[in-house]
Amino acid sequence: MFNIKLLKDDISAIESYYHDRGYALFHLISADMVSPNRLVMTVEEGRVGKVTIKGLDHVRPFVVYRELLQHKGAVFNAVKIRRDRAKLLKLGYFSDVTMPQLKPSYGDKDINLSYEVREKKVNLIDFGLEQLRYEDGVAAFTSLKYHHFLLYSDVISLKSQLMLDQDIRVRSYMIRYYQPWFFNLYPIRFAMDFWTEFTKEIYTGSATTYSA
């Protein structure tokens, strides 16, 4: 038997279920009994309209927009918007990314998203001297991180340590090449690493071994 109170409770439970999962614009438009044993509900999800990112001066837009889950036509989801903001910060190009402003799209029921970003310097170089911990001596270190090495959006990193003794020798080094999107075509991360390191282990009996 049809019960209007139970129907209202069901509608409230359905809307709460979707709202709790980020679908903030989800709501039920109508519920019609089309036959004694059939109830048809019509819902509206709310979709993303235009997505804009303000503050892109040096960063090419395609490396930013391709990361977004909430693109034009996607069902609006507040949880995914927070993930998108975190992904933009993780790119390493920005010191700050705001949560997007939400504005209704004129002429339809879509929601436009507008982010604001603040770019930062991404190419880094660091060098200096450090006292070695387990032995006498001083080592020079160098650290380099360079974006857009072979193609736009890739990164090459270099870390090295030079032993400054009677002569200068490489104590350790690490080279890493990374593409967040494989050749900017596929969402597959690609990385190559080359390294060597110096270790010193002290055993009982004062025997000391070195390996590199």
Side-chain angles (χ1 to χ4, degrees):
M1 180 180 293
F2 180 78
N3 186 306
I4 188 66
K5 182 180 183 304
L6 292 178
L7 176 60
K8 290 181 177 179
D9 291 342
D10 288 342
I11 292 174
S12 178
I14 292 171
E15 290 184 338
S16 295
Y17 176 87
Y18 283 96
H19 292 168
D20 291 343
R21 284 155 181 78
Y23 298 98
L25 303 181
F26 179 94
H27 70 280
L28 191 140
I29 298 175
S30 63
D32 302 308
M33 291 293 300
V34 297
S35 69
N37 297 316
R38 187 182 178 193
L39 175 67
V40 176
M41 294 183 176
T42 303
V43 302
E44 188 172 82
E45 296 175 313
R47 293 188 176 272
V48 175
K50 185 178 180 181
V51 180
T52 58
I53 300 178
K54 301 177 182 179
L56 295 178
D57 297 323
H58 301 95
V59 178
R60 296 182 186 178
F62 82 91
V63 301
V64 180
Y65 283 102
R66 70 186 181 185
E67 299 293 333
L68 300 179
L69 299 171
Q70 290 286 273
H71 49 75
K72 182 176 176 61
V75 177
F76 181 90
N77 187 290
V79 173
K80 291 182 179 180
I81 286 177
R82 290 193 291 271
R83 290 178 185 170
D84 282 345
R85 178 178 179 269
K87 289 173 71 175
L88 296 185
L89 285 168
K90 193 175 180 180
L91 286 175
Y93 298 129
F94 311 115
S95 61
D96 184 47
V97 178
T98 66
M99 287 295 292
Q101 293 183 349
L102 310 180
K103 298 181 180 179
S105 178
Y106 295 107
D108 53 44
K109 297 181 181 180
D110 294 345
I111 297 296
N112 296 331
L113 309 181
S114 179
Y115 292 87
E116 290 190 18
V117 300
R118 183 179 301 136
E119 294 182 356
K120 67 178 182 180
K121 295 180 179 180
V122 294
N123 295 326
L124 304 173
I125 184 169
D126 188 22
F127 55 88
L129 299 175
E130 58 185 349
Q131 180 70 41
L132 299 178
R133 185 175 179 183
Y134 294 114
E135 57 189 286
D136 295 333
V138 175
F141 68 89
T142 303
S143 177
L144 171 69
K145 187 174 185 181
Y146 187 78
H147 287 250
H148 320 310
F149 177 62
L150 296 178
L151 73 163
Y152 200 87
S153 81
D154 67 358
V155 185
I156 187 167
S157 303
L158 169 66
K159 294 181 180 179
S160 65
Q161 189 182 60
L162 302 177
M163 182 70 177
L164 305 180
D165 202 346
Q166 294 179 352
D167 54 358
I168 299 176
R169 63 181 186 275
V170 177
R171 195 167 188 267
S172 65
Y173 71 85
M174 186 279 292
I175 302 173
R176 178 177 177 84
Y177 178 74
Y178 174 70
Q179 292 183 9
W181 280 55
F182 190 61
F183 287 99
N184 282 331
L185 297 175
Y186 308 102
I188 301 172
R189 291 187 291 270
F190 170 77
M192 291 189 300
D193 296 281
F194 304 92
W195 75 91
T196 186
E197 62 181 4
F198 172 95
T199 61
K200 178 179 179 180
E201 299 178 359
I202 301 178
Y203 297 90
T204 304
S206 70
T208 303
T209 63
Y210 296 86
S211 63

